[in-house]
């Protein structure tokens, strides 16, 4: 009787433990499923290919389909914009605006080499005077072609599709993908990574970006890193080109921080990083799912920060306006030719 009672109690305990384990597994699966759904639902997609149609630069003839596919390792050109396009309290506190006053103050063309062994990041100054092509609008109408206008007006008047079309008109390089991140998302990303270490060559005191730093090495949190990316008037010259130099330093520092952070061994931090990125992201429809973004990320696994080159599109002072610049030729054309 005692033995039978003991075995019966043990059986009940094993059964309870099995049920508890099964329940935990189900909860884990449910949590993982919810996390995937949440991250996937975070991303906003824009169908730029349909909006622009066939009137675009051709992809390299040797890789007609590979270059558009994030999971393959052919060359890719991605237009990356930093903007204050999304409304909300967080963006307002960080200096952003509402969707009515959307701006794209940071524009970079990221070229990924075939094999993903190297990358070139080309900054386009927002003060560059360009010919802005006619762009399609959501209501079926189009904007008018405009001459000698600032580059960043393209996003303001026509959103992502017009930004892509203007870059393609300026460079004659096909943008395979489009990625846009807003103010609050950038700050959250830096915080999720544990901050970023940057060395500045001069003192910074900028009321507009709310950043004050002495020259030297600093470990910045998200708000400070965003302030650095937006700093212009608190540095010598106060030009957009000086701000671009800071942004390029920040890009390098972020890549180094990501490389030094083993996200795969820290699921909690990995989720925070993924949530920060996807929650602030607008992409073309070729990258608007978690699976597609993960494929792109996995293809970059072997890309070291030292293999990333940052440059600025060659420019000279605009003849019509000392406060604006224009592409310097033939240097600018040669640069874009190297990315085709």
């Amino acid at each position: 009787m005692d033995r039978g009672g003991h075995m019966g109690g043990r059986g009940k305990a094993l059964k309870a433990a099995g049920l508890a384990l099964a329940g935990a597994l189900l909860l884990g699966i449910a949590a993982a499923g919810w996390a995937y759904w949440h991250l996937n639902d975070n991303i906003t997609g824009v169908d730029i290919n349909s909006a622009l149609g066939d009137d675009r630069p051709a992809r390299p003839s040797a890789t007609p389909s590979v270059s558009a596919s994030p999971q393959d390792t052919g060359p890719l050109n991605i237009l990356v914009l930093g903007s204050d396009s999304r409304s909300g309290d967080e963006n307002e506190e960080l200096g952003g605006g509402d969707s009515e006053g959307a701006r794209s103050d940071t524009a970079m063309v990221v070229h990924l080499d075939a094999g993903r062994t190297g990358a070139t990041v080309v900054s386009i100054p927002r003060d560059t005077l360009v010919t802005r092509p006619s762009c399609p609008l959501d209501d079926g109408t189009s904007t008018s072609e405009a001459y000698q206008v600032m580059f960043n007006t393209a996003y303001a008047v026509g959103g992502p599709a017009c930004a892509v079309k203007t870059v393609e008109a300026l460079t004659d390089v096909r943008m395979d993908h489009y990625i846009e991140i807003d103010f609050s998302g950038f700050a959250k990303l830096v915080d999720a990574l544990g901050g970023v270490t940057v060395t500045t060559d001069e003192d910074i005191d900028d009321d507009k970006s709310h950043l004050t730093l002495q020259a030297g090495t600093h470990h910045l949190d998200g708000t400070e890193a965003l302030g650095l990316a937006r700093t212009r008037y608190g540095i010598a010259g106060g030009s957009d080109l000086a701000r671009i130099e800071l942004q390029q330093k920040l890009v390098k520092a972020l890549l180094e921080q990501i490389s030094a952070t083993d996200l795969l061994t820290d699921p909690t931090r990995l989720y925070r990083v993924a949530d920060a990125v996807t929650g602030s992201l607008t992409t073309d429809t070729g990258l608007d799912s978690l699976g597609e973004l993960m494929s792109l990320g996995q293809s970059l696994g072997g890309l070291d920060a030292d293999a990333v080159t940052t440059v600025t599109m060659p420019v000279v002072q605009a003849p019509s306006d000392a406060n604006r610049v224009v592409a310097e030729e033939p240097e600018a054309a040669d640069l874009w030719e190297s990315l085709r």
Side-chain angles (χ1 to χ4, degrees):
M1 291 290 294
D2 290 342
R3 186 176 179 183
H6 175 73
M7 291 300 292
R10 185 181 178 187
K12 288 179 180 179
L14 288 172
K15 183 177 181 181
L19 290 173
L21 178 60
L25 287 172
L26 287 173
L27 285 174
I29 292 170
W34 178 87
Y36 188 93
W37 173 85
H38 172 71
L39 295 174
N40 200 65
D41 192 56
N42 272 347
I43 307 166
T44 300
V46 178
D47 193 353
I48 290 174
N49 286 336
S50 293
L52 298 186
D54 296 327
D55 185 20
R56 306 177 65 185
R59 293 192 177 97
S61 57
T63 54
S65 60
V66 170
S67 62
S69 179
Q71 68 267 27
D72 291 316
T73 56
L76 278 179
N77 289 305
I78 305 172
L79 176 61
V80 178
L81 295 187
S83 78
D84 60 350
S85 64
R86 293 188 184 182
S87 58
D89 294 338
E90 289 178 331
N91 274 326
E92 273 191 47
E93 289 175 6
L94 293 168
D98 58 29
S99 57
E100 296 296 323
R103 298 170 298 177
S104 59
D105 285 345
T106 302
M108 298 178 176
V109 173
V110 178
H111 174 80
L112 302 176
D113 293 344
R116 306 291 196 268
T117 56
T120 303
V121 179
V122 184
S123 296
I124 302 176
R126 54 161 283 183
D127 292 342
T128 305
L129 296 181
V130 300
T131 296
R132 189 181 69 224
S134 173
C135 297
L137 298 175
D138 291 339
D139 62 4
T141 62
S142 298
T143 66
S144 299
E145 187 175 32
Y147 303 92
Q148 293 290 292
V149 295
M150 280 179 59
F151 166 75
N152 72 337
T153 63
Y155 184 93
V157 303
C162 196
V164 170
K165 189 167 185 178
T166 300
V167 169
E168 291 184 341
L170 174 67
T171 66
D172 196 29
V173 175
R174 173 74 169 243
M175 295 298 109
D176 299 302
H177 292 294
Y178 170 86
I179 295 176
E180 174 191 331
I181 188 167
D182 68 17
F183 278 9
S184 66
F186 177 80
K188 286 179 180 178
L189 171 61
V190 173
D191 284 336
L193 287 169
V196 62
T197 301
V198 177
T199 299
T200 59
D201 299 326
E202 59 181 294
D203 295 343
I204 295 174
D205 187 9
D206 193 330
D207 291 337
K208 292 192 175 183
S209 68
H210 311 294
L211 183 67
T212 301
L213 289 176
Q214 290 185 333
T217 300
H218 304 273
H219 191 74
L220 308 180
D221 64 18
T223 300
E224 292 167 333
L226 177 63
L228 185 67
R230 298 182 60 225
T231 289
R232 174 174 181 173
Y233 299 102
I235 50 180
S239 71
D240 192 37
L241 297 179
R243 173 168 58 184
I244 284 174
E245 287 185 17
L246 291 176
Q247 291 173 349
Q248 291 175 346
K249 281 188 177 184
L250 192 54
V251 166
K252 282 280 195 176
L254 273 173
L255 290 173
E256 289 168 0
Q257 180 66 22
I258 291 171
S259 297
T261 306
D262 192 356
L263 296 175
L264 294 180
T265 63
D266 189 344
T268 301
R269 175 174 284 189
L270 175 60
Y271 177 79
R272 288 202 303 268
V273 169
D275 194 35
V277 171
T278 58
S280 60
L281 213 59
T282 298
T283 74
D284 66 283
T285 49
L287 286 178
D288 65 348
S289 75
L290 191 58
E292 288 163 333
L293 286 174
M294 288 173 63
S295 292
L296 178 60
Q298 288 167 355
S299 77
L300 300 176
L303 184 62
D304 188 86
D306 292 336
V308 178
T309 302
T310 56
V311 297
T312 301
M313 181 183 76
V315 294
V316 293
Q317 186 181 88
S320 60
D321 188 339
N323 295 315
R324 302 289 179 258
V325 296
V326 293
E328 182 179 15
E329 301 299 354
E331 289 82 357
D334 292 341
L335 172 62
W336 298 124
E337 175 65 29
S338 71
L339 304 186
R340 293 192 187 108

